[in-house]
Amino acid sequence: MSGSRTTTDTTTTATRAEYCVVACAEAWRGAGEILASPMGTVPMIGARLARLTFSPDLLLTDGEALLIADVPAVGAPPRVVEGWLPYRQHLALVTTGRRHVMMGASQIDRYGNQNISCIGDWARPKRQLLGVRGAPVNTLNNPTSYWVPKHSTRVFVERVDMVSGVGYDRAAAAGPSAARYHRIPEVVSDLGVFDFETPDRTMRLRSLHPGVTLEQVTAATGFTLTVPDEVPYTREPTAEELRLIREEIDPKGLRNREVPA
């Protein structure tokens, strides 16, 4: 596999951060009129790119309680507000499946169980993190993807120290009420894209970002991935997508702070 590639419509090479943006945007392709809840700079840029290109019906917020009709640059206020989304209404969208959230993960395992609560034994943790927060309700009621800006064996672990977001094995064990709407469409990291489209619902490598090798990914993952016979690269951003990312959505280059060039 080659270490670098250029876009189809431009001679400018995309950066690793821009491949990650495009991979995150693809999570909302064809989503229709649902709320996108990106957590992190790269997912936020990805959601806005999706709205401006192949998912025009996607609902976006200002990150707080306003639904926005335009797509401002990251960090800029919206010019057009189309609605108010108080917390109670946001929860209604969550519990009825009308949201696709892309959360972070301090740990994630082969079945998609996610931890953002603590590192170590819950009774005496080595590190206290955010806490479980809304992760269980997210994962059981609406599509939940994950973004990991630094792929390593500390994040991709054999077994999470505490389950915050529910994975496929635990949802199945809990029965139909837990598994009915449970779905983890994809995990995006700075190395590649992953899903759970396997017979036993364990993590599969879907694509490598250009410049990344299979050996890098497997060495940075603390469990055995399912790897297809032929692993494609994450798709190239088009010239127009690169223009939108660089000139309209993220002109300050904040994406490069999350995924350095």
Side-chain angles (χ1 to χ4, degrees):
M1 295 182 179
S2 60
S4 64
R5 298 161 72 191
T6 56
T7 62
T8 302
D9 303 312
T10 180
T11 57
T12 303
T13 302
T15 65
R16 180 72 59 80
E18 288 161 347
Y19 283 114
C20 293
V21 166
V22 167
C24 288
E26 287 290 341
W28 288 287
R29 180 180 285 275
E33 192 175 342
I34 69 164
L35 179 67
S37 291
M39 299 182 184
T41 301
V42 166
M44 184 184 300
I45 299 167
R48 295 183 185 201
L49 180 64
R51 167 76 173 267
L52 287 172
T53 53
F54 47 73
S55 294
D57 295 328
L58 205 60
L59 301 179
L60 299 177
T61 74
D62 65 345
E64 295 186 14
L66 298 178
L67 287 169
I68 59 177
D70 63 332
V71 183
V74 174
R79 296 179 295 274
V80 183
V81 175
E82 62 181 355
W84 181 47
L85 190 66
Y87 193 60
R88 63 181 180 274
Q89 190 174 340
H90 197 133
L91 288 178
L93 290 177
V94 172
T95 55
T96 54
R98 292 176 290 167
R99 182 181 77 149
H100 184 166
V101 59
M102 183 170 283
M103 300 178 65
S106 300
Q107 293 179 328
I108 189 167
D109 67 22
R110 69 175 71 236
Y111 290 101
N113 294 293
Q114 169 247 31
N115 175 24
I116 52 171
S117 185
C118 65
I119 300 300
D121 191 296
W122 180 84
R124 193 177 180 85
K126 299 176 183 177
R127 295 286 186 275
Q128 179 65 55
L129 305 175
L130 289 173
V132 173
R133 301 177 72 87
V137 175
N138 286 342
T139 48
L140 295 184
N141 289 281
N142 57 223
T144 302
S145 293
Y146 294 108
W147 160 241
V148 179
K150 294 181 180 179
H151 191 129
S152 74
T153 54
R154 296 178 64 181
V155 180
F156 288 76
V157 296
E158 181 68 35
R159 183 186 178 95
V160 297
D161 291 340
M162 180 175 178
V163 176
S164 302
V166 179
Y168 278 101
D169 58 339
R170 288 178 177 268
S177 62
R180 184 177 181 184
Y181 300 112
H182 177 269
R183 187 163 71 92
I184 307 173
E186 63 183 45
V187 177
V188 181
S189 82
D190 61 329
L191 299 183
V193 182
F194 309 83
D195 61 26
F196 299 88
E197 300 301 317
T198 56
D200 59 354
R201 289 298 198 177
T202 55
M203 193 180 293
R204 178 185 72 160
L205 176 60
R206 183 196 295 175
S207 70
L208 293 167
H209 300 324
V212 177
T213 67
L214 176 59
E215 290 73 22
Q216 282 178 277
V217 172
T218 55
T221 304
F223 52 84
T224 302
L225 285 164
T226 296
V227 179
D229 293 336
E230 294 186 11
V231 182
Y233 282 127
T234 302
R235 77 164 177 86
E236 298 284 351
T238 66
E240 175 62 8
E241 287 173 331
L242 284 176
R243 187 194 68 79
L244 288 170
I245 293 169
R246 296 171 180 178
E247 298 179 14
E248 296 192 21
I249 305 173
D250 185 30
K252 295 182 179 179
L254 298 177
R255 61 194 179 278
N256 298 315
R257 297 183 185 180
E258 201 162 52
V259 182

